[in-house]
Amino acid sequence: MKKIKPLIVLASLLIALTLIIPAVLVLPFSGERHASGKLGEDLTKKGGSQAKEAKATSSAADAAVEVAVFRSAKSKIENVQLEDYLVGVVAAEMNADFKEEALKAQALAARTYIVNRLISKDTLGVPKGAQVTDTQVHQVYKNDDELRKQWGADYDLKRKKILDAVRATGGQILTFEGKPIDALFFSTGNGYTENSEDYWGGSFPYLRSVSSPWDKKSPKFSNQKVLTVKEFEAKLGVKVGSGSTIGKIVERTTGKRVGKVDFSGKVLTGRDIREKLDLKSSDFVWERKGDNIVITTKGFGHGVGMSQYGANGMAEEGSDYQAIVKHYYQGVEITSAEPMMATITAQK
């Protein structure tokens, strides 16, 4: 019996330890209110990688297309990758100091314009072998060397800002009913944009007159030009006379610009007058002062499509590029251009 007791004690001790140790281990975690952390989940890295991959694909789509640009100053053709072409267009057409979302809207409009032109194989106004010029006839374009000279010490900063805007919209274009739009743009409105038919003649459902109050902050909103009476008469082919009025506005456009002016039976459109007198806008008034006629205009450009200063004003108020383009181009969609770009590449 005495030999058995130690065994019994040892067995009892082992059983007690078996019961006590798990309880001790569990005890510190038994009170939920004492928890200071728990298993979390963060998939942003994965999503971020997917977003980067999508951007890389879009950038690759831009890089796969090449544009033959006729450089008017040197009368030669320069073959440029689409991404570089868009950087050169946005830099030439819009102030690099504008907000990022405005630059993105400009990049989207510029890509839409050139993709539409390449798909339709439109070579109107360009010499053989070229697809587009570097002038306002199509889209103004400057290459890297020209931008270095223009920006000087700010080159790296400004080019990166514009490149980021181009890549942020990589592979995207504006479409209406599945087709690329004619993405017209101009500098500054008079507080409104124009219906396309009120200036260009053709009616497009996405180029409708919309309000653009941000234009009033543009440094190009108001302009004045002085012509002699003789210059005014010669350019318009009219006689001023000595009356209290010089012509009479008989029609206004939806965009509040001059539609038609009647000069004692000779009627000229606002566009006619703007072009013949080389005015900044077709929203104008004038008055005679001695032997001169002083003409005051509101806005800068034809007024159809997207106002660049208006786009920047929207961006300053927090609008993103999608909201900007959908304001100025009514009823459009932002669509992937990759299938169209693949067609362009395959045609070469």
Side-chain angles (χ1 to χ4, degrees), residues 262-277:
D262 187 347
F263 294 92
S264 302
K266 180 172 183 176
V267 178
L268 296 175
T269 67
R271 179 182 175 180
D272 287 336
I273 295 170
R274 181 199 171 206
E275 292 178 351
K276 289 178 178 180
L277 299 183

Side-chain angles (χ1 to χ4, degrees), residues 45-61 170 338:
K45 289 185 178 180
K46 181 178 178 182
S49 298
Q50 290 172 340
K52 287 179 181 178
E53 185 178 341
K55 282 188 179 180
T57 302
S58 298
S59 296
E338 290 183 39

Side-chain angles (χ1 to χ4, degrees), residues 83-85 87-88 91 96 143-144 147-148 151 154-167:
E83 182 175 90
D84 292 332
Y85 171 73
V87 169
N143 64 20
D144 202 57
L147 293 178
R148 284 182 184 275
W151 290 330
D154 294 330
Y155 168 81
D156 289 332
L157 182 65
K158 290 186 175 182
R159 189 182 188 283
K160 182 182 183 302
K161 185 178 178 182
I162 290 177
L163 179 60
D164 288 347
V166 169
R167 288 183 172 173

Side-chain angles (χ1 to χ4, degrees), residues 269-341:
T269 67
R271 179 182 175 180
D272 287 336
I273 295 170
R274 181 199 171 206
E275 292 178 351
K276 289 178 178 180
L277 299 183
D278 192 25
L279 303 179
K280 302 299 185 185
S281 166
S282 55
D283 183 355
F284 51 77
V285 294
W286 56 57
E287 62 178 337
R288 182 172 183 165
K289 291 188 176 181
D291 293 331
N292 294 319
I293 293 180
V294 180
I295 308 167
T296 303
T297 56
K298 287 183 181 179
F300 193 130
H302 51 68
V304 182
M306 183 178 72
S307 163
Q308 293 170 316
Y309 273 91
N312 194 53
M314 289 186 70
E316 286 178 337
E317 291 184 359
S319 296
D320 60 21
Y321 76 95
Q322 294 100 327
I324 292 170
V325 295
K326 288 184 177 181
H327 173 72
Y328 285 108
Y329 304 111
Q330 295 285 289
V332 300
E333 297 293 334
I334 299 173
T335 308
S336 171
E338 290 183 39
M340 299 179 194
M341 290 181 177

Side-chain angles (χ1 to χ4, degrees), residues 36-89:
S36 60
K38 55 185 176 181
L39 180 63
E41 184 172 343
D42 185 357
L43 302 179
T44 55
K45 289 185 178 180
K46 181 178 178 182
S49 298
Q50 290 172 340
K52 287 179 181 178
E53 185 178 341
K55 282 188 179 180
T57 302
S58 298
S59 296
D62 281 357
V65 176
E66 196 172 69
V67 183
V69 186
F70 180 73
R71 304 311 310 277
S72 53
K74 297 181 179 178
S75 295
K76 71 173 188 177
I77 295 173
E78 191 175 313
N79 294 305
V80 189
Q81 281 191 333
L82 179 57
E83 182 175 90
D84 292 332
Y85 171 73
L86 292 173
V87 169
V89 169

